[in-house]
Amino acid sequence: MRLSLVTALACVTGVTALPAPSRAAATNAPRIDLNVLVITDGTPWVQAIREQLASEGVPTTVVDLADAARPAITDAFLADQLADGTPHARFQGVVLPGDAPSGLSAAEQSALATFEQSFNVRQVDGYVYPSANVGLNPPVYSGSFDGTTATATASARADAFRYLNGPVAFEGSPGGNGSYGHLATPLPDDPTTGAHFEPYLTGRVPGGSATGTLAGVFTAGGRQQLVLTFAYNYYQQQYRVLAHGIVDWLTRGVHLGYWRNYFSTHIDDVFASDSRWSDVGKCTPGEGDCAPGVPATAPIRMTPADVVNVLNWQLQNTYTLDLLYNGNGSVEAGGPTDPLTVTLLSYKSFFRWLNHTSTHAYLGCAQDFTVIPWRCQTDAGGNVVWVDQATIDREIADNVQFARANGLPIRPDELVAGEHSGTRILPQQPVDNPHFASSLVKNGIGWLGLDASREPAQRQVGSAAGVPRHPINVFFNVATAREEVSEYNWIYTSKADGGSGICENNPTTTCIAPLNPTTGWSAYILPLQVKITLGYVLSNDPRPFYMHQSNLAGDRLALQAVGGVLSAYRTTFATNTPVVNQSMTDAGLALQRQDAWAQARDAGTVSGYVRGGTVTVAGPAGTNVPVTVPTGTTVAGGGAFGSAYAGERSGHLTLGASATTLTLPGTAYPAAAVPPKVRGGVAALLSVTVRGTAVTITSPAGTRTLPRLAATAPTGG
């Protein structure tokens, strides 16, 4: 009766008839590969999601709609059947520019819809105009959202955005890119089709009282789409805040990849002093950039009061600074009788410490300051004169000895040279000092600080793996806000405005109007540096940041900058997602893991899939694979997998000779109600119910009720 009824209904509804699935098929859970399909038209919102997937390490297949040679999106491209009859989805999620991109044919859109219905695969619509197609009324507002604050709803925070507190700020600070979007209200639920729109991000009309949604989940026809109605790019703060949640929602919280918000801060030159900027000479006396006759300025060195202030700040902010020390600075100031030394050593256990060489000597080429800017000295034969290895050895070893003599808890294999010297510095020194690499080997250095503004990638220098550090643009030679503004104006304003004009001849720098000496720091420089730094923090970037001890003196600009980042972060992120403040060694290890996984992922040597309640990962033995799963996921033996972060679990698997499996909790990754047998692109009907004179058909396309056919009709009616 069921077979004949299904066949008969197919004649009425136009659905290609398939044999009813057997009980064996119903219990044969599909295999869903841990791979995301990204279909791009080159718009910045698709690129933003693509970059976030890459940042976290999620495997992707990218189809460019502008590529004439691209594959067609067909049933066979999306899914097939394994040799044992298991339905096989090649993708766990789909990213589209919008709900119905013009570059996809009707047949391709239909294939995607059937695939998503059949395997419970989710879709992200990168940016859409509100319409009934995505469960929304026409917009109540379209325009700028600069400087506004939206809200992640309780539904969002109970789902993939569980790491948020609620407020989501849209850019409006200096250096912002502009924010544009549409506010709309959801259409009423449709009980016939089961259509429902659940708001995930809501906002208010700027300057008005009307509210609406900027993002939400539209469920209809057996499919789920995350709909975003605002434009964005990868670097905008509002997107950076939401980016991980978009990935997590798309993958149902099960994917290959690892995400953290890293934030550690190095304070260079501790115990030593730093030269001070001259507002009169627009230069820094003692640094080789001043014309003859410029008066000397008083060096900047922390005081005991500055140390006590930092201690109180750390306790109030639950955050620890890394102090990069120059031991000879203490010796020259009197050693045991130096008040700063006494205070720092009294509270040494409250900080992390890192070798910054004994005297902060320049360890690259011998510098010639007879010209501005300086150049490397050369001998009679035109060869570069390098700082010798004996000098470099002393700088490293003497500082280690200072730490041991004073009980500083250092890792002796970590080093950051003064000015990142020893390694190449363009344009004056295009190669590493050859003696520097030899000295690193001799002194057992395993981790070496590099300048990320010059060298963002990790590389090997002698025995050491490089750890690039991001500079926070608070200059080493300033202690007060007025000094910072003076130097900032000199660098970033045109000659016509009294600046150096450097900005006029630099393709990466834009000239600004001169900042007010009194308000320029608080109104422009500080919020801009907080925004830039927070952008890196929210980019899964383990690289540390650095400033100088001079910035802990005077107006204590460093604490304002770091405190601003922490305040903005903690306003937005829940306590289950703290910033990860790690040592330089751990930062280097994180970079190594990211790079190794990117190579393995791109080479396609590792496969992962979810089937039923099990995640399986396989690949060459020894491969380190990042994995993110829901809370409650266990490893063999029943122990919890990974570590808790953002309301989920994540960690790294080291693969063995055979596949590694994880057990998901409950129905963390539900399959379709009946695993489909995909034949000719049509999925089997899910259910047929006969009640009274009505027949109700529930299929991936939705629910439809028809008059009951004659019971005696064998194939139609």
Side-chain angles (χ1 to χ4, degrees):
M1 176 63 184
R2 181 180 175 102
L3 285 175
S4 61
L5 182 59
V6 170
T7 305
L9 290 171
C11 298
V12 177
T13 62
V15 176
T16 303
L18 295 175
S22 66
R23 183 174 299 277
T27 58
N28 189 16
R31 165 179 162 160
I32 302 175
D33 288 352
L34 299 183
N35 183 31
V36 170
L37 175 62
V38 179
I39 298 176
T40 180
D41 60 358
T43 45
W45 34 92
V46 181
Q47 183 62 21
I49 298 173
R50 181 180 176 184
E51 288 190 49
Q52 182 67 21
L53 290 163
S55 170
E56 296 195 27
V58 180
T60 60
T61 296
V62 179
V63 174
D64 187 347
L65 295 177
D67 184 356
R70 73 168 177 87
I73 308 302
T74 63
D75 300 322
F77 176 80
L78 297 167
D80 62 8
Q81 195 171 78
L82 301 181
D84 64 357
T86 300
H88 172 217
R90 291 194 171 94
F91 308 103
Q92 65 176 138
V94 178
V95 177
L96 294 178
D99 61 310
S102 59
L104 285 177
S105 68
E108 289 178 310
Q109 293 182 41
S110 177
L112 279 171
T114 299
F115 169 71
E116 291 170 9
Q117 293 162 350
S118 301
F119 290 96
N120 251 342
V121 168
R122 289 174 164 178
Q123 174 179 308
V124 171
D125 300 333
Y127 172 44
V128 300
Y129 184 84
S131 72
N133 291 340
V134 291
L136 292 170
N137 288 302
V140 297
Y141 169 80
S142 296
S144 171
F145 287 89
D146 286 359
T148 64
T149 299
T151 301
T153 65
S155 296
R157 288 180 280 118
D159 192 7
F161 300 87
R162 61 186 70 83
Y163 59 88
L164 295 178
N165 282 328
V168 177
F170 277 64
E171 281 189 359
S173 60
N177 295 308
S179 308
Y180 184 90
H182 314 279
L183 277 179
T185 57
L187 289 168
D189 291 354
D190 186 340
T192 303
T193 63
H196 170 72
F197 189 98
E198 184 64 35
Y200 270 28
L201 185 69
T202 58
R204 186 181 300 275
V205 173
S209 58
T211 60
T213 184
L214 287 159
V217 175
F218 179 50
T219 302
R223 301 168 64 203
Q224 283 191 309
Q225 302 171 69
L226 180 61
V227 178
L228 298 108
T229 64
F230 62 95
Y232 52 91
N233 63 53
Y234 180 74
Y235 300 99
Q236 287 181 300
Q237 181 174 314
Q238 60 269 22
Y239 173 71
R240 295 260 31 87
V241 167
L242 298 169
H244 175 70
I246 294 171
V247 171
D248 227 39
W249 182 89
L250 179 67
T251 63
R252 297 182 181 273
V254 180
H255 55 263
L256 302 184
Y258 185 87
W259 173 74
R260 293 291 186 272
N261 290 330
Y262 300 98
F263 185 40
S264 54
T265 306
H266 293 180
I267 303 296
D268 292 6
D269 306 346
V270 172
F271 291 118
S273 61
D274 289 298
S275 302
R276 188 185 297 267
W277 170 256
S278 169
D279 184 51
V280 175
K282 305 301 181 187
C283 62
T284 309
E287 296 296 319
D289 64 340
C290 286
V294 173
T297 51
I300 307 167
R301 188 170 188 254
M302 292 172 62
T303 66
D306 294 325
V307 177
V308 173
N309 183 72
V310 171
L311 286 168
N312 289 329
W313 179 91
Q314 287 193 159
L315 293 172
Q316 293 167 3
N317 288 273
T318 321
Y319 187 82
T320 300
L321 298 173
D322 290 80
L323 301 187
L324 279 66
Y325 71 99
N326 305 108
N328 191 65
S330 167
V331 174
E332 290 184 340
T337 64
D338 170 39
L340 176 61
T341 298
V342 171
T343 307
L344 281 169
L345 294 181
S346 296
Y347 298 108
K348 60 192 174 189
S349 62
F350 288 87
F351 304 102
R352 288 198 299 251
W353 296 84
L354 207 156
N355 187 349
H356 195 40
T357 71
S358 180
T359 71
H360 201 279
Y362 191 84
L363 303 180
C365 62
Q367 294 172 288
D368 177 3
F369 289 109
T370 61
V371 293
I372 300 176
W374 64 268
R375 63 189 174 195
C376 286
Q377 293 182 22
T378 55
D379 61 19
N383 302 304
V384 172
V385 177
W386 298 105
V387 173
D388 60 86
Q389 184 175 337
T391 299
I392 301 170
D393 289 344
R394 283 195 304 272
E395 285 291 320
I396 298 172
D398 286 357
N399 220 35
V400 171
Q401 181 56 38
F402 177 89
R404 289 173 175 162
N406 290 283
L408 295 183
I410 69 165
R411 297 187 181 191
D413 63 342
E414 294 179 334
L415 176 70
V416 178
E419 299 180 58
H420 302 100
S421 59
T423 53
R424 58 192 181 219
I425 294 179
L426 297 176
Q428 294 101 321
Q429 185 188 310
V431 297
D432 299 338
N433 179 351
H435 303 309
F436 185 71
S438 299
S439 186
L440 297 181
V441 173
K442 179 179 178 181
N443 288 277
I445 303 301
W447 303 100
L448 175 69
L450 301 175
D451 186 347
S453 66
R454 295 186 176 108
E455 295 192 74
Q458 189 174 47
R459 70 179 177 97
Q460 198 73 19
V461 183
S463 57
V467 182
R469 306 187 305 155
H470 293 299
I472 295 179
N473 201 10
V474 179
F475 305 122
F476 83 96
N477 52 356
V478 304
T480 69
R482 293 187 74 91
E483 290 168 346
E484 171 75 8
V485 173
S486 171
E487 187 169 0
Y488 205 93
N489 279 339
W490 176 249
I491 295 173
Y492 294 108
T493 62
S494 66
K495 287 186 177 180
D497 284 331
S500 64
I502 294 173
C503 56
E504 298 173 274
N505 302 311
N506 190 327
T508 63
T509 304
T510 301
C511 294
I512 63 171
L515 301 177
N516 183 294
T518 302
T519 62
W521 163 255
S522 59
Y524 184 90
I525 300 174
L526 178 59
L528 180 58
Q529 292 313 304
V530 168
K531 172 187 174 296
I532 292 171
T533 303
L534 189 60
Y536 285 115
V537 172
L538 303 184
S539 298
N540 204 33
D541 185 349
R543 296 166 180 82
F545 297 84
Y546 73 94
M547 286 185 283
H548 296 80
Q549 64 85 31
S550 53
N551 308 140
L552 294 178
D555 292 338
R556 297 159 178 165
L557 305 180
L559 300 185
Q560 295 184 48
V562 177
V565 173
L566 291 174
S567 177
Y569 182 90
R570 290 167 177 169
T571 297
T572 304
F573 287 84
T575 55
N576 66 4
T577 314
V579 292
V580 178
N581 181 4
Q582 59 187 358
S583 70
M584 192 169 82
T585 294
D586 291 335
L589 289 170
L591 285 169
Q592 284 186 340
R593 283 195 300 264
Q594 287 183 350
D595 185 60
W597 168 239
Q599 293 182 45
R601 180 197 64 208
D602 295 346
T605 57
V606 174
S607 65
Y609 63 88
V610 60
R611 187 176 182 191
T614 302
V615 176
T616 302
V617 184
T623 304
N624 196 261
V625 182
V627 182
T628 297
V629 288
T631 298
T633 300
T634 58
V635 296
F641 170 75
S643 58
Y645 195 75
E648 57 195 356
R649 307 286 297 190
S650 48
H652 293 79
L653 292 173
T654 300
L655 301 183
S658 57
T660 301
T661 60
L662 301 173
T663 302
L664 297 172
T667 56
Y669 207 104
V674 176
K677 283 186 176 293
V678 180
R679 296 180 183 173
V682 182
L685 296 178
L686 298 181
S687 67
V688 178
T689 303
V690 179
R691 179 169 296 176
T693 60
V695 178
T696 300
I697 312 162
T698 301
S699 78
T703 300
R704 186 173 181 184
T705 301
L706 300 172
R708 182 178 178 180
L709 304 176
T712 56
T715 59

